[in-house]
Amino acid sequence: MTDRHRLAESDGLSRRRLLGIGGALGLLAAGALTSSAALARRPAATGAELRSEVPLPPAHQVPLPLPAVLSPVATSGGADRYEITQRQVTAEILPGVRTPLWTYGGTFPGPTIEARRGRPVIVTHRNELPVPTVVHLHGGRTPADSDGYPTDLVLPTGWPAPATGSQSMPGMAAMPGMPGTATMSAMPGMPGMPGMAGMPGTPGGGRMDDPRAVTTTLTREYTFPNDQRPTMLWYHDHRMDFTAPAVWRGLAGLHVVRDDAEQSLGLPAGERELPLVITDRAFAADGTLQYPSLDPELRSRPGVTEPHLAGVLGDVILVNGAPWPVREVDAARYRLRLLNASNARHYELEALCEDGRRLDLVQIGADQGLLAAPVTHRFLPIAPAERYDVVVDFAGLPPGSLVRIRNRLGTARTRDVLAFRVARTARDDSRIPAALAADLPDWRRQDAVRVRDFAFRAGRMDGGHGWLIGGRPFDPARSDVTVGLGDVEVWRLIADVHHPVHLHLVGFRILSRGGKPPLPHDAGLKDTVSLRPGESAEIITRFDGYRGRYLFHCHNAEHEDMGMMANLEVI
């Protein structure tokens, strides 16, 4: 890939084919990016919604659970050590309904790791699931060998070992029923995607090999230095081809980095600091999670059924694993640590009182930590993988008041998210300082050693559908972008439909959207930028921290699984 990429032009998909993919995707790809102005003003959903087949509970009756904080197994040697077992459980998510889940440590979401800035955390993950897994700490400044590259698999016991002398992905080449000469186009019902060859679990061909992949059996040790600004990160599965269904089944948890400076600010804390992991799911008649996988066992055949190629949406909104929950609160300030862990659903959140009045959402932080100063919103958009740190003040509301957090982009039941019921008056010594952080980077456009252009859009691959960056689908054996350690670069990104673009290793600042100043919620240091249909954005970052192979990709998980990733080599 050259230093300056040309924006990929339309791949010539027929209008009938594109409209079959769904909604805004068909319109935009058929009419090119300039036809998207109307959609950019009012973003359409990218994806298709599944409908649950079990009775759903009324909103705001299930209490909001909070993820348990994991205790270290050792704290010696200047690091905290943790152990997490990835295993299947059956849990009651909907009242009276038993649902099988894949979990970290037996819970959904997984247990929260509380870390201190500059103190390493070492986590040993044990894979007792029926398929390989990979753990990625999203937003972490992590050495490449612990970043969770999609081919660095942790194989379950009994998973076939690599064939002797084979350069194919370890643990995959010897799988029964995976002939080394097959291609994706030979798979019934699955459009061929030759550029996606190389993905473990796919029946081989062409560029299957990833000679740099490192696999282990049963366990793997991940080291997270936590040498970064205090913020809320999250860890999730990142297995090639199968990230979306694995996260959908429950493989996600929180990792919070703290330091003394942040804790001295007087922000709401303790019971008045609430992590909120927002997801959407759909339930089958037997209580299982619906998901339109071509291979329900997630062993060898990646992808989803055609109506869901643009993304999978559920009709049940879960917060911390509970449907449309409610939380009793004091009439005081609360710090809400928001994560959109949905596969493809976008939200625009508001805090609505019973009389129709909206409470301010005072943003104090973004993906990568505190802002320089607070920013006040009435509505706050949040795309998959984005995090926002906001303060809501319930003072002045009488006991018994109900404040609903609603999704302005939702319809019917997906408009509701969660609610807070004011239970009592209480003393509140918290505050929101006018100045929050003084350590934000001051990268300037003139500091950039190069500018790169990337198009994120649908395209054709061997007669089928895929999602491309710069006109190409992901290949783990290909070098896409090489940067020097310490280099500052400006990247210009453009989208056809919604694409939340995530960079591994580094945070960035948003310089512009559509040639105009960034939006109010773009403040601070980000690691995921939400591109709306037809939208362009400029970001600036410094590639520091560690050398090695990393990724950038769309965090619509279905897009990611169908080719919308690229390699980033820091040298």
Side-chain angles (χ1 to χ4, degrees), residues 15-56:
R15 184 173 181 85
R16 175 162 39 174
R17 166 69 177 163
L18 283 163
L19 291 176
I21 294 172
L25 171 60
L27 174 62
L28 290 174
L33 294 176
T34 55
S35 69
S36 64
L39 287 175
R41 287 194 296 270
R42 181 175 175 78
T46 296
E49 188 172 282
L50 296 163
R51 294 301 177 92
S52 293
E53 299 169 348
V54 295
L56 300 177

mmCIF file of all heavy atoms in Angstrom, residues 15-56:
data_model
loop_
_atom_site.group_PDB
_atom_site.id
_atom_site.type_symbol
_atom_site.label_atom_id
_atom_site.label_comp_id
_atom_site.label_asym_id
_atom_site.label_seq_id
_atom_site.Cartn_x
_atom_site.Cartn_y
_atom_site.Cartn_z
ATOM 1 N N ARG A 15 -27.799 -2.726 -9.376
ATOM 2 C CA ARG A 15 -28.740 -2.146 -8.420
ATOM 3 C C ARG A 15 -29.591 -3.222 -7.763
ATOM 4 O O ARG A 15 -29.851 -3.180 -6.568
ATOM 5 C CB ARG A 15 -29.628 -1.123 -9.132
ATOM 6 C CG ARG A 15 -30.561 -0.398 -8.174
ATOM 7 C CD ARG A 15 -31.305 0.719 -8.863
ATOM 8 N NE ARG A 15 -32.150 1.403 -7.928
ATOM 9 C CZ ARG A 15 -31.751 2.393 -7.134
ATOM 10 N NH1 ARG A 15 -30.492 2.774 -7.168
ATOM 11 N NH2 ARG A 15 -32.579 2.980 -6.309
ATOM 12 N N ARG A 16 -30.006 -4.234 -8.526
ATOM 13 C CA ARG A 16 -30.846 -5.279 -7.947
ATOM 14 C C ARG A 16 -30.066 -6.043 -6.874
ATOM 15 O O ARG A 16 -30.581 -6.329 -5.806
ATOM 16 C CB ARG A 16 -31.318 -6.230 -9.040
ATOM 17 C CG ARG A 16 -32.094 -7.405 -8.458
ATOM 18 C CD ARG A 16 -32.929 -8.133 -9.478
ATOM 19 N NE ARG A 16 -32.269 -8.258 -10.758
ATOM 20 C CZ ARG A 16 -32.778 -8.968 -11.770
ATOM 21 N NH1 ARG A 16 -33.931 -9.575 -11.631
ATOM 22 N NH2 ARG A 16 -32.149 -9.056 -12.912
ATOM 23 N N ARG A 17 -28.807 -6.361 -7.144
ATOM 24 C CA ARG A 17 -27.986 -7.092 -6.170
ATOM 25 C C ARG A 17 -27.810 -6.267 -4.896
ATOM 26 O O ARG A 17 -27.932 -6.764 -3.779
ATOM 27 C CB ARG A 17 -26.627 -7.408 -6.791
ATOM 28 C CG ARG A 17 -25.557 -7.865 -5.815
ATOM 29 C CD ARG A 17 -25.880 -9.241 -5.268
ATOM 30 N NE ARG A 17 -24.797 -9.678 -4.401
ATOM 31 C CZ ARG A 17 -24.914 -10.658 -3.530
ATOM 32 N NH1 ARG A 17 -26.053 -11.296 -3.427
ATOM 33 N NH2 ARG A 17 -23.910 -11.018 -2.773
ATOM 34 N N LEU A 18 -27.548 -4.974 -5.063
ATOM 35 C CA LEU A 18 -27.280 -4.141 -3.902
ATOM 36 C C LEU A 18 -28.522 -3.936 -3.060
ATOM 37 O O LEU A 18 -28.461 -3.968 -1.832
ATOM 38 C CB LEU A 18 -26.719 -2.792 -4.360
ATOM 39 C CG LEU A 18 -25.249 -2.879 -4.765
ATOM 40 C CD1 LEU A 18 -24.873 -1.677 -5.589
ATOM 41 C CD2 LEU A 18 -24.372 -2.997 -3.543
ATOM 42 N N LEU A 19 -29.658 -3.737 -3.700
ATOM 43 C CA LEU A 19 -30.877 -3.561 -2.924
ATOM 44 C C LEU A 19 -31.210 -4.824 -2.148
ATOM 45 O O LEU A 19 -31.823 -4.759 -1.081
ATOM 46 C CB LEU A 19 -32.025 -3.156 -3.842
ATOM 47 C CG LEU A 19 -31.887 -1.740 -4.438
ATOM 48 C CD1 LEU A 19 -33.016 -1.484 -5.414
ATOM 49 C CD2 LEU A 19 -31.865 -0.694 -3.347
ATOM 50 N N GLY A 20 -30.750 -5.956 -2.633
ATOM 51 C CA GLY A 20 -30.957 -7.193 -1.889
ATOM 52 C C GLY A 20 -30.132 -7.246 -0.623
ATOM 53 O O GLY A 20 -30.464 -7.953 0.320
ATOM 54 N N ILE A 21 -29.040 -6.514 -0.590
ATOM 55 C CA ILE A 21 -28.211 -6.496 0.609
ATOM 56 C C ILE A 21 -28.885 -5.719 1.715
ATOM 57 O O ILE A 21 -28.734 -6.019 2.890
ATOM 58 C CB ILE A 21 -26.821 -5.899 0.272
ATOM 59 C CG1 ILE A 21 -26.089 -6.835 -0.686
ATOM 60 C CG2 ILE A 21 -25.994 -5.676 1.520
ATOM 61 C CD1 ILE A 21 -24.807 -6.267 -1.229
ATOM 62 N N GLY A 22 -29.657 -4.698 1.349
ATOM 63 C CA GLY A 22 -30.463 -4.062 2.392
ATOM 64 C C GLY A 22 -30.312 -2.570 2.499
ATOM 65 O O GLY A 22 -29.212 -2.065 2.612
ATOM 66 N N GLY A 23 -31.444 -1.867 2.461
ATOM 67 C CA GLY A 23 -31.576 -0.478 2.874
ATOM 68 C C GLY A 23 -30.558 0.467 2.282
ATOM 69 O O GLY A 23 -30.357 0.542 1.090
ATOM 70 N N ALA A 24 -29.945 1.217 3.191
ATOM 71 C CA ALA A 24 -29.036 2.280 2.786
ATOM 72 C C ALA A 24 -27.855 1.749 2.004
ATOM 73 O O ALA A 24 -27.335 2.433 1.122
ATOM 74 C CB ALA A 24 -28.546 3.036 4.014
ATOM 75 N N LEU A 25 -27.414 0.540 2.289
ATOM 76 C CA LEU A 25 -26.262 -0.022 1.593
ATOM 77 C C LEU A 25 -26.503 -0.069 0.093
ATOM 78 O O LEU A 25 -25.688 0.360 -0.706
ATOM 79 C CB LEU A 25 -25.979 -1.430 2.123
ATOM 80 C CG LEU A 25 -24.935 -2.250 1.359
ATOM 81 C CD1 LEU A 25 -23.605 -1.537 1.363
ATOM 82 C CD2 LEU A 25 -24.820 -3.626 1.953
ATOM 83 N N GLY A 26 -27.666 -0.598 -0.307
ATOM 84 C CA GLY A 26 -27.952 -0.688 -1.725
ATOM 85 C C GLY A 26 -28.011 0.670 -2.385
ATOM 86 O O GLY A 26 -27.437 0.878 -3.449
ATOM 87 N N LEU A 27 -28.693 1.613 -1.773
ATOM 88 C CA LEU A 27 -28.834 2.949 -2.349
ATOM 89 C C LEU A 27 -27.482 3.610 -2.525
ATOM 90 O O LEU A 27 -27.167 4.156 -3.573
ATOM 91 C CB LEU A 27 -29.725 3.802 -1.450
ATOM 92 C CG LEU A 27 -29.839 5.284 -1.848
ATOM 93 C CD1 LEU A 27 -30.449 5.412 -3.229
ATOM 94 C CD2 LEU A 27 -30.661 6.026 -0.815
ATOM 95 N N LEU A 28 -26.643 3.520 -1.509
ATOM 96 C CA LEU A 28 -25.381 4.244 -1.564
ATOM 97 C C LEU A 28 -24.415 3.655 -2.568
ATOM 98 O O LEU A 28 -23.798 4.365 -3.347
ATOM 99 C CB LEU A 28 -24.739 4.261 -0.171
ATOM 100 C CG LEU A 28 -25.465 5.127 0.852
ATOM 101 C CD1 LEU A 28 -24.829 4.939 2.216
ATOM 102 C CD2 LEU A 28 -25.426 6.577 0.448
ATOM 103 N N ALA A 29 -24.285 2.327 -2.557
ATOM 104 C CA ALA A 29 -23.311 1.731 -3.458
ATOM 105 C C ALA A 29 -23.754 1.866 -4.904
ATOM 106 O O ALA A 29 -22.940 2.019 -5.797
ATOM 107 C CB ALA A 29 -23.092 0.273 -3.097
ATOM 108 N N ALA A 30 -25.058 1.807 -5.148
ATOM 109 C CA ALA A 30 -25.538 1.938 -6.521
ATOM 110 C C ALA A 30 -25.426 3.366 -7.008
ATOM 111 O O ALA A 30 -25.150 3.616 -8.172
ATOM 112 C CB ALA A 30 -26.988 1.462 -6.616
ATOM 113 N N GLY A 31 -25.630 4.332 -6.142
ATOM 114 C CA GLY A 31 -25.655 5.718 -6.561
ATOM 115 C C GLY A 31 -24.392 6.479 -6.242
ATOM 116 O O GLY A 31 -24.350 7.684 -6.463
ATOM 117 N N ALA A 32 -23.392 5.802 -5.681
ATOM 118 C CA ALA A 32 -22.108 6.379 -5.290
ATOM 119 C C ALA A 32 -22.264 7.262 -4.073
ATOM 120 O O ALA A 32 -23.357 7.544 -3.614
ATOM 121 C CB ALA A 32 -21.473 7.161 -6.448
ATOM 122 N N LEU A 33 -21.128 7.711 -3.545
ATOM 123 C CA LEU A 33 -21.134 8.385 -2.253
ATOM 124 C C LEU A 33 -21.901 9.696 -2.271
ATOM 125 O O LEU A 33 -22.488 10.092 -1.269
ATOM 126 C CB LEU A 33 -19.693 8.640 -1.814
ATOM 127 C CG LEU A 33 -18.871 7.380 -1.521
ATOM 128 C CD1 LEU A 33 -17.443 7.767 -1.183
ATOM 129 C CD2 LEU A 33 -19.490 6.577 -0.397
ATOM 130 N N THR A 34 -21.926 10.381 -3.396
ATOM 131 C CA THR A 34 -22.571 11.688 -3.418
ATOM 132 C C THR A 34 -24.073 11.598 -3.233
ATOM 133 O O THR A 34 -24.718 12.599 -2.942
ATOM 134 C CB THR A 34 -22.276 12.404 -4.741
ATOM 135 O OG1 THR A 34 -22.681 11.546 -5.810
ATOM 136 C CG2 THR A 34 -20.786 12.707 -4.866
ATOM 137 N N SER A 35 -24.660 10.401 -3.397
ATOM 138 C CA SER A 35 -26.112 10.278 -3.243
ATOM 139 C C SER A 35 -26.539 10.122 -1.803
ATOM 140 O O SER A 35 -27.713 9.929 -1.528
ATOM 141 C CB SER A 35 -26.598 9.067 -4.032
ATOM 142 O OG SER A 35 -26.135 7.877 -3.422
ATOM 143 N N SER A 36 -25.598 10.214 -0.851
ATOM 144 C CA SER A 36 -25.905 9.865 0.528
ATOM 145 C C SER A 36 -26.193 11.056 1.418
ATOM 146 O O SER A 36 -26.341 10.900 2.616
ATOM 147 C CB SER A 36 -24.734 9.089 1.120
ATOM 148 O OG SER A 36 -23.605 9.932 1.169
ATOM 149 N N ALA A 37 -26.292 12.243 0.865
ATOM 150 C CA ALA A 37 -26.421 13.419 1.719
ATOM 151 C C ALA A 37 -27.642 13.346 2.625
ATOM 152 O O ALA A 37 -27.582 13.648 3.818
ATOM 153 C CB ALA A 37 -26.479 14.677 0.853
ATOM 154 N N ALA A 38 -28.769 12.894 2.065
ATOM 155 C CA ALA A 38 -29.986 12.828 2.875
ATOM 156 C C ALA A 38 -29.832 11.836 4.004
ATOM 157 O O ALA A 38 -30.251 12.087 5.136
ATOM 158 C CB ALA A 38 -31.181 12.457 2.002
ATOM 159 N N LEU A 39 -29.212 10.688 3.715
ATOM 160 C CA LEU A 39 -29.026 9.689 4.753
ATOM 161 C C LEU A 39 -28.057 10.173 5.814
ATOM 162 O O LEU A 39 -28.178 9.838 6.987
ATOM 163 C CB LEU A 39 -28.526 8.380 4.140
ATOM 164 C CG LEU A 39 -29.580 7.589 3.351
ATOM 165 C CD1 LEU A 39 -28.933 6.388 2.688
ATOM 166 C CD2 LEU A 39 -30.710 7.148 4.254
ATOM 167 N N ALA A 40 -27.050 10.943 5.423
ATOM 168 C CA ALA A 40 -26.094 11.449 6.399
ATOM 169 C C ALA A 40 -26.768 12.391 7.387
ATOM 170 O O ALA A 40 -26.380 12.481 8.543
ATOM 171 C CB ALA A 40 -24.942 12.160 5.683
ATOM 172 N N ARG A 41 -27.806 13.101 6.921
ATOM 173 C CA ARG A 41 -28.509 14.003 7.832
ATOM 174 C C ARG A 41 -29.343 13.227 8.847
ATOM 175 O O ARG A 41 -29.500 13.639 9.986
ATOM 176 C CB ARG A 41 -29.414 14.956 7.028
ATOM 177 C CG ARG A 41 -28.623 16.025 6.279
ATOM 178 C CD ARG A 41 -29.551 17.122 5.795
ATOM 179 N NE ARG A 41 -30.517 16.622 4.828
ATOM 180 C CZ ARG A 41 -30.305 16.609 3.510
ATOM 181 N NH1 ARG A 41 -29.150 17.034 3.025
ATOM 182 N NH2 ARG A 41 -31.238 16.161 2.693
ATOM 183 N N ARG A 42 -29.909 12.117 8.418
ATOM 184 C CA ARG A 42 -30.666 11.260 9.332
ATOM 185 C C ARG A 42 -30.190 9.828 9.126
ATOM 186 O O ARG A 42 -30.692 9.121 8.258
ATOM 187 C CB ARG A 42 -32.168 11.368 9.084
ATOM 188 C CG ARG A 42 -32.968 10.490 10.047
ATOM 189 C CD ARG A 42 -34.464 10.680 9.879
ATOM 190 N NE ARG A 42 -35.216 9.764 10.716
ATOM 191 C CZ ARG A 42 -35.408 9.927 12.026
ATOM 192 N NH1 ARG A 42 -34.880 10.968 12.631
ATOM 193 N NH2 ARG A 42 -36.098 9.047 12.720
ATOM 194 N N PRO A 43 -29.182 9.383 9.893
ATOM 195 C CA PRO A 43 -28.565 8.087 9.613
ATOM 196 C C PRO A 43 -29.579 6.953 9.638
ATOM 197 O O PRO A 43 -30.432 6.872 10.510
ATOM 198 C CB PRO A 43 -27.548 7.945 10.757
ATOM 199 C CG PRO A 43 -27.282 9.341 11.222
ATOM 200 C CD PRO A 43 -28.563 10.083 11.026
ATOM 201 N N ALA A 44 -29.501 6.105 8.639
ATOM 202 C CA ALA A 44 -30.329 4.905 8.587
ATOM 203 C C ALA A 44 -29.603 3.772 9.299
ATOM 204 O O ALA A 44 -28.406 3.823 9.504
ATOM 205 C CB ALA A 44 -30.596 4.526 7.128
ATOM 206 N N ALA A 45 -30.351 2.750 9.685
ATOM 207 C CA ALA A 45 -29.734 1.581 10.295
ATOM 208 C C ALA A 45 -28.943 0.826 9.246
ATOM 209 O O ALA A 45 -29.397 0.648 8.118
ATOM 210 C CB ALA A 45 -30.799 0.683 10.906
ATOM 211 N N THR A 46 -27.734 0.419 9.600
ATOM 212 C CA THR A 46 -26.954 -0.451 8.734
ATOM 213 C C THR A 46 -27.067 -1.856 9.300
ATOM 214 O O THR A 46 -26.432 -2.196 10.292
ATOM 215 C CB THR A 46 -25.488 0.002 8.673
ATOM 216 O OG1 THR A 46 -25.437 1.300 8.076
ATOM 217 C CG2 THR A 46 -24.660 -0.945 7.830
ATOM 218 N N GLY A 47 -27.897 -2.679 8.665
ATOM 219 C CA GLY A 47 -28.123 -4.028 9.155
ATOM 220 C C GLY A 47 -29.595 -4.374 9.129
ATOM 221 O O GLY A 47 -30.450 -3.558 8.772
ATOM 222 N N ALA A 48 -29.893 -5.620 9.471
ATOM 223 C CA ALA A 48 -31.272 -6.110 9.507
ATOM 224 C C ALA A 48 -31.555 -6.674 10.888
ATOM 225 O O ALA A 48 -30.695 -7.307 11.504
ATOM 226 C CB ALA A 48 -31.483 -7.176 8.432
ATOM 227 N N GLU A 49 -32.784 -6.443 11.367
ATOM 228 C CA GLU A 49 -33.140 -6.803 12.733
ATOM 229 C C GLU A 49 -33.763 -8.190 12.802
ATOM 230 O O GLU A 49 -34.639 -8.539 12.010
ATOM 231 C CB GLU A 49 -34.115 -5.780 13.302
ATOM 232 C CG GLU A 49 -34.416 -5.954 14.781
ATOM 233 C CD GLU A 49 -35.228 -4.802 15.336
ATOM 234 O OE1 GLU A 49 -34.633 -3.739 15.579
ATOM 235 O OE2 GLU A 49 -36.463 -4.948 15.492
ATOM 236 N N LEU A 50 -33.299 -8.975 13.781
ATOM 237 C CA LEU A 50 -33.909 -10.253 14.114
ATOM 238 C C LEU A 50 -35.053 -10.027 15.087
ATOM 239 O O LEU A 50 -34.990 -9.115 15.919
ATOM 240 C CB LEU A 50 -32.875 -11.186 14.750
ATOM 241 C CG LEU A 50 -31.687 -11.611 13.867
ATOM 242 C CD1 LEU A 50 -30.577 -12.174 14.736
ATOM 243 C CD2 LEU A 50 -32.128 -12.637 12.840
ATOM 244 N N ARG A 51 -36.072 -10.861 15.033
ATOM 245 C CA ARG A 51 -37.217 -10.738 15.931
ATOM 246 C C ARG A 51 -37.242 -11.915 16.905
ATOM 247 O O ARG A 51 -37.182 -13.073 16.493
ATOM 248 C CB ARG A 51 -38.523 -10.704 15.125
ATOM 249 C CG ARG A 51 -38.654 -9.457 14.251
ATOM 250 C CD ARG A 51 -38.600 -8.171 15.081
ATOM 251 N NE ARG A 51 -38.652 -6.980 14.276
ATOM 252 C CZ ARG A 51 -39.768 -6.342 13.956
ATOM 253 N NH1 ARG A 51 -40.935 -6.821 14.364
ATOM 254 N NH2 ARG A 51 -39.729 -5.250 13.223
ATOM 255 N N SER A 52 -37.342 -11.615 18.169
ATOM 256 C CA SER A 52 -37.373 -12.658 19.193
ATOM 257 C C SER A 52 -38.655 -13.467 19.096
ATOM 258 O O SER A 52 -39.723 -12.949 18.729
ATOM 259 C CB SER A 52 -37.243 -12.040 20.589
ATOM 260 O OG SER A 52 -35.966 -11.462 20.766
ATOM 261 N N GLU A 53 -38.529 -14.738 19.466
ATOM 262 C CA GLU A 53 -39.657 -15.669 19.384
ATOM 263 C C GLU A 53 -40.163 -16.069 20.759
ATOM 264 O O GLU A 53 -40.923 -17.026 20.889
ATOM 265 C CB GLU A 53 -39.223 -16.913 18.600
ATOM 266 C CG GLU A 53 -38.801 -16.592 17.172
ATOM 267 C CD GLU A 53 -38.127 -17.762 16.477
ATOM 268 O OE1 GLU A 53 -37.779 -18.749 17.180
ATOM 269 O OE2 GLU A 53 -37.944 -17.698 15.248
ATOM 270 N N VAL A 54 -39.760 -15.360 21.804
ATOM 271 C CA VAL A 54 -40.244 -15.616 23.159
ATOM 272 C C VAL A 54 -40.905 -14.339 23.672
ATOM 273 O O VAL A 54 -40.608 -13.235 23.199
ATOM 274 C CB VAL A 54 -39.088 -16.031 24.107
ATOM 275 C CG1 VAL A 54 -38.504 -17.364 23.677
ATOM 276 C CG2 VAL A 54 -38.011 -14.955 24.151
ATOM 277 N N PRO A 55 -41.796 -14.467 24.651
ATOM 278 C CA PRO A 55 -42.384 -13.247 25.230
ATOM 279 C C PRO A 55 -41.305 -12.384 25.884
ATOM 280 O O PRO A 55 -40.420 -12.895 26.585
ATOM 281 C CB PRO A 55 -43.366 -13.801 26.263
ATOM 282 C CG PRO A 55 -43.649 -15.199 25.837
ATOM 283 C CD PRO A 55 -42.390 -15.702 25.205
ATOM 284 N N LEU A 56 -41.380 -11.098 25.655
ATOM 285 C CA LEU A 56 -40.385 -10.175 26.190
ATOM 286 C C LEU A 56 -40.948 -9.433 27.393
ATOM 287 O O LEU A 56 -42.134 -9.076 27.412
ATOM 288 C CB LEU A 56 -39.948 -9.180 25.108
ATOM 289 C CG LEU A 56 -39.321 -9.811 23.859
ATOM 290 C CD1 LEU A 56 -38.986 -8.739 22.830
ATOM 291 C CD2 LEU A 56 -38.089 -10.635 24.206
#
